[in-house]
Amino acid sequence: MSLPADPPPVERLLGRGRGTLGELFLARAERSAERPFLRFGERTWTYEEGMWEAQRFAGWVLAQAPGGDASGMRVASFLPNRPAAMWAWLGTLLAGAVYVPLNRSHRGALLEDMVERSGARILVADRDGTDVLSRLSLTEIDTLLVVEGAAEIEFGGRLAAWEQVAASEPRTRPATDPRALAEVMYTSGTTGRSKAVLLPHNYLLRGSGWVAWSLSLREDDVVHGWLPLFHIGGQLDMVLCFIAAGGAIALHPTFSQSRFWSEVEACGATHFIGFSNVLEIIWAMESTPTDRETTLRGGIAGGIPPNLHRGFEERFDLRLYDVYGMTESEPLAFPHPGTLPPVGAAGQPNPDFELAILGESGERLPADSLGEIVARPLVPDVTFAGYEGDVEAYAEATAGLWIHTGDLGRIDEQGNAYFVDRIKHAIRRRGENISTFELERVLTAHPQVADCSAVGVPSPLGEEDVKVMVVPAPDAALDPAALREWCEKEMASFMVPRYVEVVESLPRGPTGKVLKEELVGVSESVFDAEAERFRDNADTGRVR
Amino acid sequence: MSLPADPPPVERLLGRGRGTLGELFLARAERSAERPFLRFGERTWTYEEGMWEAQRFAGWVLAQAPGGDASGMRVASFLPNRPAAMWAWLGTLLAGAVYVPLNRSHRGALLEDMVERSGARILVADRDGTDVLSRLSLTEIDTLLVVEGAAEIEFGGRLAAWEQVAASEPRTRPATDPRALAEVMYTSGTTGRSKAVLLPHNYLLRGSGWVAWSLSLREDDVVHGWLPLFHIGGQLDMVLCFIAAGGAIALHPTFSQSRFWSEVEACGATHFIGFSNVLEIIWAMESTPTDRETTLRGGIAGGIPPNLHRGFEERFDLRLYDVYGMTESEPLAFPHPGTLPPVGAAGQPNPDFELAILGESGERLPADSLGEIVARPLVPDVTFAGYEGDVEAYAEATAGLWIHTGDLGRIDEQGNAYFVDRIKHAIRRRGENISTFELERVLTAHPQVADCSAVGVPSPLGEEDVKVMVVPAPDAALDPAALREWCEKEMASFMVPRYVEVVESLPRGPTGKVLKEELVGVSESVFDAEAERFRDNADTGRVR
């Protein structure tokens, strides 16, 4: 199949495949003025109404800008999912300014640091958000715009109320250079300070166009949207791709299991979105005879559990689309229209990228090998432009002139990409990469294992040996040696753990993540299969 | 044609296509012990003898290293072409240390800066070189190794004489990691301070292997070599590729028109090397009936004037090979064996790279379009590893995940690459890139120069000649001829301006930038050093 050179929805709207988000918004407002754009609670905005809201925000931003020129100016936001977050985002871009969406969950010094290095002088927050912010020193912020109740807030700088925005003259002055910076988005920074990812307009424009293409989105599509608008997924895979196609976004503050189906019904959603846990939650709900009779026709997922993929599609009469990517490059892979990637695949490459799998020395591996997923852009300005103030991290993230995902995966002969695990979660044993995610998935299938975690511990032979910590199911008595024997039957020989530790519970951090670094110790009480073997040998006098 | 995965000469020698130069040297010394390696003047060293010399230097370096481990240690050299330069280079690499060859033409503050940021504690120089060095403050150098006459030199640190090297025990402790840093080489720094290019072992190893493959070099090949050993061309395209193939290098201090043919005859050269000006010079010599009867079978050229390409090959019965590349990535293109690239082409891509032509916005252009030549490595560690201490410059040089050559060119339907011009505002004079920035910095240091600007003006010999415009300091009377004489002492010979124009002020644009395009004229009133020379000649009747 020959691939289109430009994302078709973008090309149809702008007459070219390159541009800025401001141009996209204006073209869409003109084309689809009367179509629904945003639904929140009981209220719906058409594209025309929505763009007026966004343009009023743009007018307010431009009024704050010296000489009325907001290009390069930064506007930070600290907002939950609500219409104001949409207007602040779209309006900032329509003003030609740069949007810095802050994760609404952050607190304290981390948040203070992010606000400070955002380069923003304007910060938009909701009333509850200002409670969090009021404890910080926001020396760089001149103006704090509060969505409601600004009068009650104490702030050293200038306080602005949303009424000012509502009363502003609608204006636009969007960026026209596709390379222009659209947003600065912080990554989670798992190994250090969060990195400030620089996102050019053209990257977000084309990326969302390709998602719309992948899902064959139409004007009458509606997404049940709840992913946070401060994340790349919530922006690109939930809002921008629907704008590209002219569809509607039914925005919800968060995902609710109990309300999911009534929300879907209320908004007539054709698509829902989520990660594998959302699929698991929906799957676990009781079957009803009407499962196949919903308005849903597609699910946009970052990772689909292979064991329920086809069953889920069958049960709800819809199609699941795995969209694979990261803040730095979203999306990198997804199903191409008219194709059905195999179960477990993250799809085929974004036509703007070449994907490859690299080995330990950075060498390109043949099809089906396990290694790091990397990407190279085939056209300009379709990926991040760097990490602000951290060129070293950028050089590392692009070593060998490849964009490193940090993900372990493989690509099959047909070009389907498979995400397997994060590399830093992988165990390296005698030349093999072992995915702890996969190992844990196998172990969890053992009837007497309630919970488990796998880590690598330094091996006297070099590299690592595998250690697992297992929490027995209630009333189960887990014998480490027996568990190991079971493993020998159930997993590749190189994955079979040397050490097995039975514990009552796993150490977990505040977000529920297992604190793996606390698991690497190998005390006397830990079962050691190699030690057992040596004991065996000593007893019998045999030498194996 | 399917391309080999590894450069065949490297693969044949090491049994693999990846490795270090130290491994190459040792394998070659074993394989070709009795074959000639280096010829200089009347003397010839076999590979075995040459490797003993290099290993004695390695022994000396290892004796200077704390704990006898020289890995990561840096050895700088400031040497003209002579055997000691070869032993210092090969010996440093055999010791597992990092070699920093300094351009022997440099002078003054520029040279001081390069020595200082080289990270070297050991500096090797010839007797004349120490005269230049003695005027500098070399606070970072602990040991100055002088090739001859060390006793007569004053130096604040430790002085070592070459006799120490000659008396050292031959030793080797080469790097074994292909990614290990082999050399740091300064570029001319066309738009700013010279950049310190980090060259890993595997890059130099594979690059030289591909050149040997391109030229189908054999054990009985001999190169008439005169390119400086401190340049990538002199190292990779003149020495390393012949080592890879087991051929010999007849080293000469410089290129001499009058001695060229007698030198070729004396050493039995099968190959010569040079830039387009050398081809022009040889071409311009009077034809003789024996033109086709020389030992030469190939010429390695960085740029072949299209108008004399085939005529040159026909007249001298040899083949010209255009090898295209740069310090950061050498070679990027060359003729593949069994093919004859069209006249004007720089050849076909190095099999380790993908070449492309980018337009103004970084978009890939179709075949035959004119744009910037860029490259992407297809295998790891075959290009530079960065610019030391300048990750910003590295990010710029690899923008869009392409290695930017800064060269204007095109690629035809058959994949032949054509070099057309430098994009940057460098002056290109007889094979040297001259940084106008650096030239101006030196000039400004002259007490009577208030302001200045340097440009390249087309030279009748091809490429460019250097012109400077100088604004005298208040009340100073600047004599162009005297200024030129001063330049001869303060800067590399290739940087010394041909034209000097004294003006009251420089034409500047609204942002203060000098309008260089207004400076390229060479009117009667402009001092022309070459005209002076011709006048001299006219006066005396001599022809130089």
Side-chain angles (χ1 to χ4, degrees):
Chain A
M1 192 182 75
S2 93
L3 298 176
D6 287 320
V10 172
E11 216 284 332
R12 274 199 294 276
L13 209 50
L14 301 183
R16 58 196 146 82
R18 202 171 143 79
T20 70
L21 289 179
E23 293 169 333
L24 174 79
F25 301 157
L26 295 177
R28 175 52 67 201
E30 203 180 317
R31 184 78 66 95
S32 309
E34 305 302 319
R35 302 282 319 164
F37 164 45
L38 179 69
R39 186 193 153 112
F40 186 78
E42 293 305 306
R43 180 142 183 216
T44 299
W45 287 260
T46 62
Y47 269 98
E48 186 171 33
E49 290 163 346
M51 286 307 146
W52 283 121
E53 302 272 9
Q55 290 184 31
R56 270 190 283 274
F57 192 91
W60 181 81
V61 168
L62 287 165
Q64 320 299 312
D69 179 1
S71 57
M73 201 172 115
R74 303 215 174 158
V75 177
S77 73
F78 187 62
L79 291 168
N81 276 4
R82 51 184 298 168
M86 192 73 90
W87 314 141
W89 173 29
L90 273 52
T92 298
L93 297 177
L94 282 171
V98 176
Y99 192 59
V100 189
L102 301 166
N103 187 320
R104 184 61 182 74
S105 307
H106 279 308
R107 298 284 180 274
L110 220 82
L111 178 61
E112 192 173 285
D113 179 50
M114 285 178 181
V115 174
E116 186 168 331
R117 62 196 171 107
S118 73
R121 297 271 176 280
I122 298 175
L123 176 58
V124 191
D126 62 312
R127 180 64 189 81
D128 290 351
T130 59
D131 284 349
V132 176
L133 294 166
S134 67
R135 279 172 231 133
L136 312 180
S137 148
L138 302 177
T139 52
E140 304 298 315
I141 299 298
D142 296 333
T143 304
L144 179 62
L145 173 64
V146 187
V147 176
E148 69 282 288
E152 313 146 30
I153 294 156
E154 267 186 58
F155 175 64
R158 195 168 75 88
L159 264 182
W162 193 263
E163 287 74 27
Q164 285 189 18
V165 174
S168 288
E169 191 194 347
R171 290 180 60 198
T172 63
R173 192 172 167 158
T176 53
D177 185 346
R179 289 167 301 185
L181 185 64
E183 304 193 34
V184 179
M185 205 178 268
Y186 291 100
T187 59
S188 58
T190 43
T191 53
R193 200 184 188 198
S194 294
K195 284 173 281 193
V197 188
L198 301 168
L199 309 179
H201 274 276
N202 194 59
Y203 156 27
L204 297 170
L205 178 78
R206 289 184 73 95
S208 53
W210 287 123
V211 175
W213 177 71
S214 165
L215 279 76
S216 306
L217 293 183
R218 306 185 303 241
E219 266 209 337
D220 55 356
D221 279 326
V222 180
V223 66
H224 173 271
W226 61 273
L227 290 185
L229 289 176
F230 48 74
H231 272 172
I232 193 74
Q235 286 197 355
L236 199 149
D237 305 302
M238 187 182 88
V239 174
L240 295 177
C241 60
F242 280 82
I243 296 180
I249 299 102
L251 188 67
H252 297 86
T254 182
F255 181 82
S256 156
Q257 178 187 350
S258 58
R259 289 193 304 271
F260 177 71
W261 284 113
S262 60
E263 287 172 359
V264 163
E265 195 184 345
C267 66
T270 56
H271 291 78
F272 72 101
I273 192 165
F275 299 100
S276 57
N277 58 333
V278 161
L279 299 180
E280 301 271 14
I281 287 167
I282 298 173
W283 179 253
M285 288 161 74
E286 210 175 317
S287 277
T288 76
T290 58
D291 273 356
R292 289 176 61 84
E293 288 158 25
T294 74
T295 49
L296 291 177
R297 71 175 186 92
I300 311 160
I304 304 170
N307 58 325
L308 58 75
H309 189 156
R310 296 291 178 231
F312 194 103
E313 292 181 329
E314 176 60 27
R315 174 174 160 192
F316 298 107
D317 190 25
L318 50 75
R319 169 87 188 272
L320 292 178
Y321 299 85
D322 193 332
V323 178
Y324 168 71
M326 55 183 186
T327 306
E328 289 85 342
S329 284
E330 177 80 17
L332 284 172
F334 45 70
H336 288 189
T339 71
L340 192 71
V343 165
Q348 293 137 293
N350 176 335
D352 284 348
F353 289 87
E354 174 188 8
L355 297 189
I357 300 293
L358 300 189
E360 285 286 298
S361 311
E363 79 282 14
R364 216 170 156 152
L365 298 179
D368 293 321
S369 314
L370 195 62
E372 185 180 16
I373 305 174
V374 295
R376 273 179 180 169
L378 298 172
V379 293
D381 313 315
V382 292
T383 181
F384 73 130
Y387 297 117
E388 188 153 67
D390 199 348
V391 276
E392 283 88 356
Y394 180 69
E396 200 181 310
T398 58
L401 288 313
W402 288 103
I403 298 168
H404 290 257
T405 63
D407 290 334
L408 204 63
R410 62 174 75 89
I411 298 175
D412 67 18
E413 295 275 4
Q414 286 71 44
N416 295 294
Y418 298 74
F419 166 86
V420 174
D421 202 352
R422 293 289 297 163
I423 283 180
K424 56 178 195 285
H425 293 163
I427 301 170
R428 181 80 187 168
R429 181 174 174 279
R430 298 178 208 177
E432 293 280 358
N433 286 320
I434 303 170
S435 157
T436 55
F437 173 82
E438 290 187 329
L439 205 161
E440 288 161 6
R441 204 167 58 180
V442 175
L443 263 184
T444 312
H446 188 287
Q448 292 179 306
V449 171
D451 198 0
C452 68
S453 186
V455 291
V457 299
S459 165
L461 300 173
E463 301 190 328
E464 295 175 305
D465 281 322
V466 179
K467 180 191 169 188
V468 296
M469 305 264 283
V470 284
V471 179
D475 303 322
L478 260 180
D479 171 36
L483 182 67
R484 199 187 120 96
E485 269 177 41
W486 179 85
C487 287
E488 280 168 353
K489 287 193 296 261
E490 298 294 325
M491 57 182 73
S493 55
F494 61 80
M495 293 172 81
V496 174
R498 170 176 174 174
Y499 302 107
V500 179
E501 186 169 6
V502 180
V503 292
E504 282 183 33
S505 66
L506 296 173
R508 289 185 184 272
T511 63
K513 247 185 190 165
V514 174
L515 303 170
K516 295 219 172 197
E517 58 277 18
E518 294 189 10
L519 303 181
V520 294
V522 182
S523 66
E524 280 294 311
S525 64
V526 174
F527 170 83
D528 176 357
E530 310 268 308
E532 285 294 304
R533 195 172 66 180
F534 293 135
R535 248 200 309 281
D536 278 0
N537 294 348
D539 287 348
T540 60
R542 281 184 295 118
V543 175
R544 283 200 247 189
Chain B
M1 191 182 78
S2 92
L3 298 177
D6 287 320
V10 172
E11 216 285 331
R12 274 199 295 276
L13 208 51
L14 302 183
R16 59 194 146 83
R18 203 171 142 80
T20 70
L21 289 178
E23 292 169 335
L24 173 79
F25 301 156
L26 295 176
R28 174 53 65 201
E30 202 180 319
R31 184 79 65 93
S32 308
E34 305 301 321
R35 302 282 319 165
F37 163 47
L38 180 69
R39 186 193 151 111
F40 186 79
E42 294 303 307
R43 181 144 180 214
T44 299
W45 287 261
T46 63
Y47 270 98
E48 185 171 35
E49 290 162 347
M51 287 306 147
W52 283 122
E53 302 273 9
Q55 290 185 31
R56 270 190 282 272
F57 192 90
W60 182 80
V61 168
L62 287 165
Q64 319 301 311
D69 179 2
S71 56
M73 201 172 117
R74 303 217 174 155
V75 177
S77 72
F78 187 63
L79 291 168
N81 275 4
R82 53 184 296 170
M86 191 73 91
W87 314 141
W89 173 29
L90 273 54
T92 298
L93 298 177
L94 283 171
V98 177
Y99 192 59
V100 189
L102 301 166
N103 188 319
R104 183 61 181 74
S105 305
H106 279 307
R107 299 283 180 275
L110 224 83
L111 177 61
E112 192 173 286
D113 179 50
M114 286 178 180
V115 173
E116 185 167 332
R117 61 196 171 108
S118 74
R121 296 271 176 280
I122 297 176
L123 175 58
V124 191
D126 62 312
R127 180 67 189 79
D128 290 349
T130 58
D131 283 349
V132 177
L133 294 167
S134 66
R135 279 173 230 135
L136 313 179
S137 148
L138 302 177
T139 51
E140 304 298 314
I141 298 298
D142 296 333
T143 303
L144 178 63
L145 173 64
V146 187
V147 176
E148 70 283 285
E152 311 144 30
I153 294 157
E154 268 187 58
F155 175 65
R158 196 168 74 90
L159 263 182
W162 193 263
E163 287 73 28
Q164 284 189 17
V165 173
S168 288
E169 191 194 346
R171 290 180 60 197
T172 64
R173 193 173 166 158
T176 52
D177 184 346
R179 290 166 300 186
L181 185 64
E183 303 194 34
V184 179
M185 207 177 268
Y186 292 101
T187 61
S188 57
T190 44
T191 54
R193 199 183 189 198
S194 292
K195 285 173 279 193
V197 188
L198 301 169
L199 309 179
H201 273 275
N202 194 60
Y203 156 28
L204 296 170
L205 179 78
R206 289 183 73 95
S208 53
W210 287 124
V211 175
W213 177 71
S214 166
L215 279 75
S216 305
L217 293 182
R218 305 185 304 241
E219 264 210 339
D220 55 357
D221 279 326
V222 180
V223 65
H224 172 270
W226 61 274
L227 289 185
L229 290 176
F230 48 74
H231 272 174
I232 193 74
Q235 286 197 356
L236 199 149
D237 305 303
M238 187 183 87
V239 174
L240 295 177
C241 60
F242 281 82
I243 295 180
I249 299 101
L251 188 67
H252 297 85
T254 182
F255 181 81
S256 157
Q257 177 188 348
S258 58
R259 290 192 304 270
F260 177 70
W261 285 112
S262 61
E263 288 172 357
V264 164
E265 195 183 346
C267 67
T270 57
H271 291 77
F272 73 102
I273 192 164
F275 298 100
S276 57
N277 59 332
V278 161
L279 299 179
E280 300 272 13
I281 288 167
I282 297 173
W283 179 253
M285 287 161 75
E286 210 174 319
S287 274
T288 77
T290 56
D291 273 357
R292 289 175 60 83
E293 288 159 24
T294 74
T295 48
L296 292 178
R297 70 175 186 93
I300 311 160
I304 304 170
N307 58 326
L308 59 74
H309 190 155
R310 296 289 178 233
F312 195 104
E313 292 181 329
E314 175 59 27
R315 172 174 162 192
F316 297 107
D317 190 25
L318 50 77
R319 169 89 188 271
L320 292 178
Y321 299 84
D322 194 331
V323 178
Y324 168 71
M326 54 182 187
T327 307
E328 288 86 342
S329 283
E330 177 80 16
L332 284 172
F334 44 71
H336 288 189
T339 72
L340 192 69
V343 166
Q348 294 139 291
N350 177 335
D352 283 348
F353 289 87
E354 174 188 8
L355 296 190
I357 300 292
L358 300 190
E360 287 284 299
S361 311
E363 79 282 12
R364 216 170 155 153
L365 298 180
D368 294 320
S369 314
L370 195 63
E372 185 180 15
I373 305 174
V374 295
R376 274 178 179 169
L378 298 172
V379 292
D381 313 313
V382 292
T383 182
F384 73 129
Y387 296 118
E388 187 152 68
D390 198 348
V391 276
E392 282 90 355
Y394 180 69
E396 199 182 312
T398 58
L401 288 312
W402 287 104
I403 298 168
H404 291 257
T405 63
D407 290 335
L408 207 62
R410 65 172 73 89
I411 299 175
D412 68 17
E413 294 275 3
Q414 287 70 44
N416 295 295
Y418 298 74
F419 167 85
V420 174
D421 200 356
R422 289 291 295 165
I423 289 174
K424 297 177 217 159
H425 261 161
I427 302 174
R428 179 83 184 170
R429 182 175 172 279
R430 298 177 205 178
E432 293 277 359
N433 284 320
I434 303 169
S435 158
T436 54
F437 172 85
E438 291 189 329
L439 204 162
E440 289 161 9
R441 201 168 62 177
V442 174
L443 261 185
T444 312
H446 188 288
Q448 292 178 304
V449 170
D451 200 358
C452 67
S453 186
V455 290
V457 298
S459 165
L461 298 173
E463 300 189 331
E464 294 176 305
D465 282 322
V466 179
K467 179 191 170 190
V468 297
M469 305 264 284
V470 285
V471 178
D475 303 323
L478 261 181
D479 172 35
L483 182 66
R484 201 189 120 99
E485 266 181 45
W486 179 86
C487 287
E488 281 169 350
K489 286 194 297 261
E490 296 295 326
M491 57 181 74
S493 54
F494 61 80
M495 293 171 83
V496 174
R498 169 175 175 176
Y499 302 106
V500 179
E501 186 170 6
V502 180
V503 291
E504 281 184 33
S505 67
L506 297 173
R508 288 183 184 275
T511 64
K513 241 186 191 166
V514 174
L515 303 171
K516 295 218 172 197
E517 58 277 19
E518 296 190 9
L519 303 181
V520 295
V522 181
S523 66
E524 280 294 309
S525 64
V526 174
F527 171 83
D528 177 359
E530 312 270 342
E532 285 294 305
R533 196 172 66 182
F534 294 133
R535 248 200 307 281
D536 279 359
N537 294 348
D539 287 346
T540 59
R542 280 185 295 118
V543 176
R544 281 200 248 188

